[in-house]
């Protein structure tokens, strides 16, 4: 029993280190997307190509490519998940053109809330008052981090450019759309839990290659070595390597610890954005981030409150 407990603690420690590293790496994705100087179509395309090479090599040597995984019903579900996964990347990367990637990442991190709501709708369960409260709190947090005043909101809804020449509301919508697509990816992937997640990720990035091939702009490829390095890091490290260690950590850690460590992702993005691009982080935005993380924590850990007093 002692030896088993020691092995479990060792496995948990390794899983924790893997997930912390994966979340820190995730928080840097926005920097490399912007630094590459490529249109988001090209970024996602090369991320899929390079990621497929890394994941394919790992899956082959680990013996994860087996005939039973190519059943039609299973493969169709994985392909559907691949379509929504790649669509989620496109929406998220496109949002970086309108709002700082740190803000987009925080908005994208509302995905767990969408997952809970979608699950409730599918099972036709009534949404609790607690869940609605946390959802409202999260949207208040979103409003705070984007820092739109009433005049700017009116200009955005009327289709006019905001004061800084961008369309912040549109960028926010893209980030939230990415979160919704990733919610679908999560639900679909759960349907094929019998298939190794690395194989699932491999098929999904291969689907992405065929999806994006017609949109890739080969006439405007990077001309600088540094830009190719950005794409290489995105594909090899932030897709291939990151998926391998992240999925491995999921098999070692309890859900509660995974939920807690996932907050490293948006927090890292905020600091990377600030350090790399000198993006100002106001107290209002910090409050918004706190509200969103509080709301997501509440949903993930099933925090509830009673509207009646104990007697």
């Amino acid at each position: 029993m002692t030896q088993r407990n020691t092995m479990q603690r060792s496995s948990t420690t390794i899983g924790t280190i893997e997930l912390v590293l994966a979340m820190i790496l995730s928080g840097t994705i926005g920097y490399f997307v912007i630094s590459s100087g490529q249109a988001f179509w090209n970024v996602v395309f090369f991320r899929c190509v390079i990621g497929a090479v890394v994941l394919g090599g790992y899956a082959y040597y680990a013996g994860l490519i087996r005939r039973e995984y190519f059943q039609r019903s299973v493969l169709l579900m994985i392909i559907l998940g691949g379509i929504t996964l790649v669509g989620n990347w496109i929406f998220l990367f496109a949002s970086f053109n309108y709002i700082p990637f740190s803000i987009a990442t925080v908005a994208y991190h509302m995905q767990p809330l969408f997952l809970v709501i979608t699950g409730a709708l599918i099972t036709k369960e009534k949404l609790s008052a607690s869940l609605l409260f946390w959802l409202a709190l999260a949207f208040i947090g979103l409003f705070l981090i984007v820092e739109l005043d009433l005049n700017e909101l009116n200009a955005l809804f009327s289709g006019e450019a905001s004061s800084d020449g961008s369309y912040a509301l549109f960028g926010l919508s893209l980030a939230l759309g990415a979160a919704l697509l990733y919610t679908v990816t999560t639900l679909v992937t759960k349907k094929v839990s019998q298939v190794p997640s690395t194989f699932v990720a491999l098929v999904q990035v291969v689907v992405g290659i065929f999806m994006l091939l017609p949109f890739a702009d080969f006439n405007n490829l990077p001309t600088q070595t540094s830009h190719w390095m950005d794409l290489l890091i995105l594909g090899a490290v932030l897709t291939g390597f990151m998926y391998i260690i992240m999925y491995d950590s999921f098999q070692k850690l309890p859900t509660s610890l995974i939920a807690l460590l996932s907050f490293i992702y948006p927090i890292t993005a905020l600091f990377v954005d600030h350090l790399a691009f000198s993006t100002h982080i106001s107290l209002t935005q910090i409050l918004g981030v706190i509200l969103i993380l509080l709301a997501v924590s509440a949903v993930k850990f099933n925090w509830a409150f009673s509207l009646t007093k104990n007697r």
Side-chain angles (χ1 to χ4, degrees):
M1 181 65 71
T2 302
Q3 185 177 2
R4 179 180 297 179
N5 289 339
T6 302
M7 291 178 63
Q8 287 179 344
R9 284 197 298 269
S10 177
S11 178
T12 300
T13 300
I14 294 173
T16 300
I17 294 172
E18 287 177 329
L19 189 54
V20 167
L21 179 57
M23 292 299 100
I24 292 174
L25 290 174
S26 296
T28 67
I29 289 175
Y31 167 78
F32 290 103
V33 170
I34 296 171
S35 179
S36 71
Q38 288 288 289
F40 59 85
W41 294 108
N42 279 17
V43 172
V44 181
F45 175 74
F46 283 108
R47 185 183 188 188
C48 288
V49 171
I50 299 170
V53 172
V54 176
L55 287 167
Y58 176 79
Y60 176 78
Y61 285 108
L64 299 178
I65 302 178
R66 300 176 184 175
R67 177 171 297 184
E68 60 263 31
Y69 301 150
F70 289 89
Q71 297 178 18
R72 184 179 179 182
S73 58
V74 173
L75 205 56
L76 286 175
M77 291 299 292
I78 296 175
I79 291 173
L80 175 59
I83 293 172
T84 55
L85 176 66
V86 173
N88 129 79
W89 286 346
I90 292 171
F91 275 43
L92 180 61
F93 293 171
S95 72
F96 297 165
N97 293 328
Y98 303 94
I99 53 178
F101 76 80
S102 56
I103 303 304
T105 300
V106 174
Y108 179 72
H109 202 68
M110 287 188 65
Q111 181 268 335
L113 292 176
F114 293 153
L115 184 61
V116 171
I117 294 171
T118 304
L121 292 175
I122 292 175
T123 58
K124 296 182 180 180
E125 294 181 2
K126 185 178 179 181
L127 296 176
S128 67
S130 296
L131 179 59
L132 292 175
F133 172 79
W134 297 123
L135 182 62
L137 193 67
F139 276 105
I140 291 173
L142 274 179
F143 184 84
L144 293 177
I145 63 174
V146 179
E147 293 188 320
L148 295 175
D149 58 31
L150 294 179
N151 291 330
E152 195 168 31
L153 275 176
N154 181 61
L156 289 169
F157 279 116
S158 64
E160 301 172 11
S162 62
S163 57
D164 63 355
S166 65
Y167 289 89
L169 192 61
F170 182 62
L172 182 63
S173 299
L174 287 172
L176 293 175
L180 283 172
L181 285 174
Y182 192 73
T183 298
V184 176
T185 302
T186 302
L187 293 173
V188 170
T189 303
K190 282 182 176 293
K191 296 289 186 180
V192 290
S193 58
Q194 74 277 18
V195 180
S197 50
T198 301
F199 177 81
V200 173
L202 172 60
V203 174
Q204 289 175 342
V205 292
V206 170
V207 168
I209 294 173
F210 289 102
M211 279 179 61
L212 296 165
L213 186 58
F215 303 100
D217 186 1
F218 295 106
N219 294 320
N220 290 297
L221 296 177
T223 56
Q224 299 180 26
T225 304
S226 60
H227 291 169
W228 278 114
M229 286 301 300
D230 290 329
L231 294 177
L232 181 62
I233 292 172
L234 272 169
V237 180
L238 301 180
T239 302
F241 174 70
M242 191 182 77
Y243 267 75
I244 291 170
I245 63 172
M246 184 166 61
Y247 284 156
D248 189 58
S249 71
F250 288 169
Q251 297 175 349
K252 294 183 171 73
L253 301 177
T255 303
S256 58
L257 185 54
I258 292 173
L260 184 62
L261 294 177
S262 68
F263 295 141
I264 296 173
Y265 176 12
I267 294 172
T268 301
L270 278 172
F271 283 101
V272 170
D273 198 7
H274 175 68
L275 294 174
F277 301 109
S278 299
T279 302
H280 175 66
I281 303 175
S282 68
L283 290 177
T284 302
Q285 289 176 314
I286 292 175
L287 176 60
V289 170
I290 291 173
L291 291 180
I292 289 177
L293 297 184
L294 177 64
V296 174
S297 295
V299 173
K300 283 188 173 182
F301 295 109
N302 197 27
W303 295 347
F305 52 86
S306 175
L307 297 178
T308 58
K309 295 182 178 180
N310 295 327
R311 295 181 180 178

